[in-house]
Amino acid sequence: MVLVGLAGIVVWHVIPRRLSTTRLIVQIAFFLTMSVLLLDGAALPYEPTRSTETTASAILVGSAKLLWWVHLAWALIGFVRIYLVFERKPREARLLQDLVVGGVYVGMLLSILAFVFGAPIGTLIATSGVFAIVLGLALQNTLSDVFSGIALNLGRPYVLGDWIVLSDGTEGRVVETNWRSTHLLTLAHNVVALPNSFLAKLGLTNVSSPEESHGLSVTIRLAPTKMPAIVADVMNAALQSSNTILRQPPPVVAIKALDATAIEVDLFFRVANVGQRIPAKNEIFDLVYRHSKSAGLRLATPPSSAILMNDLPSEETGNLPEVTPIKLINAIPVFSALTDNEKAALAATVAVRTYRKGDIIARQGEMLPSLMIVRTGIIVRERGEDDAHAQEIDHLAPGDFFGETGLLAGIGETSTLRAMSHVVVYEIDQQSFAPLLLDRPEMAEDLAAVLSARVYLGGSNGAGQEHTDSKFALLKAMQTIFHPVPFRRGLSAGRPGAQEGR
């Protein structure tokens, strides 16, 4: 019997932990074998050892009983580890499993003391009461963390992977829970260990439940130079032109307050996950600024600033700034190296084009011979086999530009451009660009960098495919389009070891 029990212990440790079902079956087999052997020898494991037995016999029977209790405990633990699953999530039931396993080990120890060694368990438990009280006081904080951890796992206000925000401002993603603490991974990529007792006392918000998407709101204060309805339309256009926020549920614009100093507007929208909060807010603020400028709206002064009532702008006295071609050209980074005179000369050649809502500005693969700068409105980029099944790629807002791939490199548009609202664009053609590239060949390299990035992200069709994202190839294409404009400096910078001229 002793050899069978020892063999069971060896086999238990030899079988890998990942084969938990196999270990359980083997353990049950050894337990049943030992039970049959003990009963065949008239030795009941749940009865104290009889004093009439000889010393050698008592040692063997006691050892067999001890091993029998060990195998029983391990079989029960195997059942607990496999089948005690809290709502079919074994990792979330870990603390509950550990608690049951601890109870099994305590029961096994007490049974061995009672039925193998014949110890008076009742007296032992009674005399250890004082020690238990002292130990409980010493481990008060630890026990509080343990039971709080059990309560949190049973209540399940969060699970691993959820993003939670505590009432004291701490927030992060739950990466680990154990007996004593819960670990959060913060936005700064630091792991914060919070004691379970501390966590149980605080209010928390689980922003990952019931779904991963997260709602945000921003407040905008605008000078009352336009009717509130117009302000709401402009803010809605800013939200519709965003490439970061979710389309469903649709974003909402709410007029929060109106007085002589400002129209206060709340913008409500959702993002796919918590990690998109900062990029989404940054984009919304940028779009609000651009659409406000385009519509002639001013930002209001802060409420705390001291200003005389006579100095407040109104619809009659607002002196709203006009968005001119020169201002849009100043906002485009590739034109930053131009002098004021060159920018003014380029602005003088600008033509104005308008599109109605739903108009197709350019289809996928079509080459635009001009650079288009959005003055007002929203343009959506779509890709698909036909208009009915087109997929939205991104949006263009006031200040964005398109058509540069066709103008500079002869590449067709990588997506279909459609007006989502009434759109006004400023057009700059090849004849206006040629003198600039002749006088400033370094601008060709900057433009090639922008083109290569857009072609790489959006892909291209037809003749444009051969250019891919190669900056050098795009520079050569620009040289071909604007022949005989020489880009010697741009080409030498774009390829190591290239000679400047001959």
Side-chain angles (χ1 to χ4, degrees):
M1 291 185 291
V2 175
L3 293 177
V4 172
L6 294 175
I9 294 176
V10 172
V11 173
W12 171 268
H13 287 90
V14 169
I15 299 176
R17 288 182 177 271
R18 66 178 182 275
L19 302 177
S20 56
T21 304
T22 303
R23 297 181 77 186
L24 176 60
I25 294 173
V26 172
Q27 192 61 48
I28 292 175
F30 276 101
F31 169 71
L32 294 176
T33 302
M34 289 196 66
S35 299
V36 171
L37 293 175
L38 283 172
L39 293 175
D40 185 63
L44 299 177
Y46 46 84
E47 289 185 356
T49 304
R50 290 173 296 196
S51 58
T52 57
E53 296 178 350
T54 61
T55 303
S57 177
I59 292 176
L60 288 176
V61 173
S63 299
K65 287 183 176 182
L66 188 148
L67 292 172
W68 184 89
W69 283 107
V70 170
H71 281 286
L72 175 60
W74 284 358
L76 292 175
I77 291 172
F79 269 108
V80 169
R81 292 302 188 193
I82 296 175
Y83 298 107
L84 183 57
V85 179
F86 189 65
E87 294 188 11
R88 298 185 179 182
K89 294 187 177 181
R91 294 190 65 181
E92 302 305 319
R94 185 69 183 184
L95 289 180
L96 185 60
Q97 290 179 358
D98 290 344
L99 183 63
V100 175
V101 168
V104 170
Y105 276 123
V106 170
M108 178 195 71
L109 178 61
L110 294 177
S111 299
I112 291 173
L113 291 175
F115 302 123
V116 177
F117 298 101
I121 298 302
T123 305
L124 181 63
I125 294 175
T127 55
S128 63
V130 176
F131 174 75
I133 293 174
V134 173
L135 184 64
L137 292 175
L139 300 177
Q140 183 177 4
N141 292 333
T142 301
L143 292 176
S144 177
D145 292 335
V146 170
F147 286 105
S148 296
I150 295 173
L152 289 172
N153 274 266
L154 292 177
R156 299 183 69 225
Y158 56 83
V159 296
L160 291 178
D162 282 355
W163 190 279
I164 62 175
V165 180
L166 305 183
S167 57
D168 65 349
T170 305
E171 62 177 292
R173 192 173 297 279
V174 180
V175 294
E176 181 183 353
T177 59
N178 53 42
W179 283 98
R180 287 214 60 218
S181 61
T182 297
H183 296 182
L184 303 182
L185 180 65
T186 65
L187 281 174
H189 284 272
N190 298 323
V191 176
V192 179
L194 299 173
N196 288 329
S197 59
F198 171 78
L199 193 61
K201 296 176 184 177
L202 291 178
L204 64 87
T205 302
N206 188 344
V207 299
S208 298
S209 180
E211 58 179 341
E212 191 70 18
S213 64
H214 182 57
L216 295 172
S217 66
V218 296
T219 300
I220 307 295
R221 287 171 48 84
L222 297 165
T225 57
K226 296 282 188 180
M227 291 186 297
I230 296 177
V231 172
D233 289 341
V234 173
M235 295 300 101
N236 187 64
L239 292 173
Q240 293 298 326
S241 60
S242 171
N243 297 316
T244 306
I245 67 176
L246 298 178
R247 298 296 162 196
Q248 294 295 332
V252 176
V253 177
I255 304 293
K256 181 179 181 181
L258 172 64
D259 54 37
T261 61
I263 299 175
E264 195 166 331
V265 184
D266 283 339
L267 309 182
F268 299 94
F269 53 92
R270 298 187 72 85
V271 292
N273 53 65
V274 178
Q276 294 290 320
R277 289 182 302 178
I278 294 177
K281 281 191 173 183
N282 289 344
E283 184 191 30
I284 291 300
F285 283 128
D286 176 72
L287 291 172
V288 166
Y289 178 83
R290 288 199 272 166
H291 279 274
S292 298
K293 283 283 189 181
S294 174
L297 296 176
R298 285 184 173 184
L299 295 177
T301 56
S304 58
S305 62
I307 185 170
L308 297 176
M309 292 296 296
N310 292 335
D311 296 331
L312 292 175
S314 64
E315 190 168 359
E316 295 78 16
T317 63
N319 294 325
L320 302 177
E322 182 182 356
V323 179
T324 59
I326 188 65
K327 289 184 177 180
L328 289 177
I329 290 174
N330 284 330
I332 298 179
V334 294
F335 296 141
S336 59
L338 300 181
T339 64
D340 292 341
N341 291 335
E342 290 170 333
K343 292 178 181 178
L346 186 62
T349 64
V350 165
V352 178
R353 289 183 177 271
T354 60
Y355 299 92
R356 294 175 299 178
K357 179 179 180 181
D359 285 351
I360 300 297
I361 300 174
R363 293 196 175 274
Q364 184 174 341
E366 180 182 347
M367 187 186 71
L368 292 175
S370 304
L371 176 71
M372 305 285 194
I373 306 173
V374 182
R375 163 65 175 82
T376 60
I378 308 171
I379 299 174
V380 59
R381 290 184 181 271
E382 299 175 332
R383 186 174 299 157
E385 298 296 331
D386 51 53
D387 294 342
H389 301 88
Q391 179 183 3
E392 292 189 5
I393 305 301
D394 59 11
H395 301 80
L396 301 179
D400 290 330
F401 58 93
F402 61 94
E404 73 283 358
T405 53
L407 169 69
L408 301 173
I411 301 176
E413 289 297 317
T414 60
S415 55
T416 298
L417 299 168
R418 180 173 58 84
M420 285 187 65
S421 63
H422 177 75
V423 173
V424 177
V425 298
Y426 291 144
E427 179 183 9
I428 304 175
D429 57 19
Q430 288 182 351
Q431 293 181 350
S432 303
F433 257 102
L436 291 177
L437 295 179
L438 177 63
D439 295 337
R440 293 187 174 275
E442 69 274 7
M443 190 168 64
E445 186 175 357
D446 295 336
L447 292 170
V450 175
L451 287 178
S452 62
R454 293 205 178 189
V455 171
Y456 175 76
L457 292 174
S460 58
N461 297 319
Q465 185 66 37
E466 65 188 36
H467 298 295
T468 65
D469 62 328
S470 171
K471 185 176 173 181
F472 177 71
L474 288 168
L475 281 168
K476 293 192 68 174
M478 291 168 61
Q479 184 180 19
T480 302
I481 295 293
F482 289 90
H483 183 78
V485 179
F487 301 146
R488 294 189 179 92
R489 251 192 314 179
L491 290 173
S492 62
R495 182 174 59 181
Q499 299 283 330
E500 182 181 348
R502 292 188 178 180

